Amino acid sequence: MMKFANYFLRFQNSYYGNIRSANSSCPTTDVKWCIDGFDGYKLCIENPSILPTCILALMIGLFCSKRISQLPGEFPSRWYYHLTFFLYGIMMSSAGILHCFLNDDTKSFTSLAVAIIDVGLTSNIAVSFLFCGLCDIQFLNPKSATTRWLLFTTYSIIFILWTFGLTKQWSWAFNVLYTGVVSVCCFIYLITQLSIKSKHHALPALFVGGLYGAIGLLAGSFGADAVCKSEGPFWSQYFGPEFIWFLFSDISVAFMFLYVIRANREQRILVKTYPIDFEKYPGKL
């Protein structure tokens, strides 16, 4: 388990773009708030400013998934979008547990399990968006059991690869399973949405969501040092690169939800605007 602890620390450094490297302006230690309890027990929260963003993410995920399930009209990809937003809430909840309550406990099986859930769901949410896009353009049949079986099989493979990647210290795990999977899946999703003409008026929300996601990722990686320099040593402890990354991820997903709602509304308006008289045009049946 010590091998996992050491590797996961290195993985986190890669994940956050070496935010706390020796030459960085960012704080080298996490802020920790502790509350004295009974019998000398202490409840400690590390990175306390991150916790509200994770709670917000859970609320966004649950709210958006519920609203999508209640959308009126025909929406073939409904189940896939519903699942995607729900998983986002679960993923960010696991991230909050990992970074706020288990950050010092890298030796335990619990930390390993939560870490795998966190990174595994991160990759699988991107896979979910890929399936949403492919179902939107009817490349995959959203109502087919085979499509769902393929989705869950992909989920399982990614979780297995992340498990071995963390425990066996695979050097390529982050670049392939995180950067590669997320980049490819999101790019294909964007292409599928651009190819659907009826959704073009909803695209600004999609682009804004992507912009927030990109800025958050940049702030948490290559731009981390600049963020810490601009905020100073005190404020960067609380509202530094990781906080910006988490918060902007929430904003990005909120705009993605707005895009899905608007695109679905446009589709329904298009159907109502151009009805087909099947008696006059029986060939359209």
Side-chain angles (χ1 to χ4, degrees), residues 84-122:
T84 301
F85 284 96
F86 176 78
L87 290 180
Y88 175 76
I90 301 302
M91 182 271 291
M92 289 297 287
S93 298
S94 65
I97 294 171
L98 185 65
H99 292 280
C100 298
F101 298 102
L102 300 176
N103 208 29
D104 284 339
D105 188 25
T106 55
K107 299 179 182 180
S108 71
F109 174 79
T110 302
S111 296
L112 172 61
V114 176
I116 292 172
I117 292 172
D118 182 15
V119 293
L121 284 179
T122 301

Side-chain angles (χ1 to χ4, degrees), residues 16 24 27-28 55 75 88 140 148 169 184 223 270:
Y16 290 107
S24 174
T28 56
I55 296 174
F75 186 14
Y88 175 76
L140 295 175
R148 296 191 181 189
Q169 305 181 37
V184 171
L270 187 66

Side-chain angles (χ1 to χ4, degrees), residues 213-267:
I215 293 174
L217 183 59
L218 179 64
S221 54
F222 300 107
D225 193 50
V227 171
C228 292
K229 282 183 179 179
S230 64
E231 292 184 350
F234 176 78
W235 292 111
S236 60
Q237 296 179 92
Y238 297 96
F239 307 110
E242 294 176 38
F243 172 82
I244 294 174
W245 191 356
F246 278 53
L247 178 62
F248 276 35
S249 294
D250 291 348
I251 297 173
S252 175
V253 171
F255 272 100
M256 288 295 298
F257 167 71
L258 185 61
Y259 166 73
V260 174
I261 295 295
R262 288 182 175 177
N264 178 262
R265 185 181 300 131
E266 280 192 24
Q267 186 70 31

Side-chain angles (χ1 to χ4, degrees), residues 193-212:
Q193 301 310 296
L194 291 175
S195 67
I196 304 175
K197 294 182 179 180
S198 62
K199 295 185 177 183
H200 282 185
H201 288 90
L203 286 176
L206 177 62
F207 289 138
V208 172
L211 181 62
Y212 267 103

Side-chain angles (χ1 to χ4, degrees), residues 9 19 33 35 41 43 45 64 70 81 87 92 106 108 112 128 138 152 155 176 203 212 235 242 247 261 263 275:
L9 287 174
I19 290 174
W33 291 355
I35 302 174
Y41 175 78
L43 173 63
I45 302 176
C64 294
Q70 296 173 341
Y81 280 103
L87 290 180
M92 289 297 287
T106 55
S108 71
L112 172 61
S128 295
Q138 299 298 312
F152 285 112
Y155 283 173
V176 173
L203 286 176
Y212 267 103
W235 292 111
E242 294 176 38
L247 178 62
I261 295 295

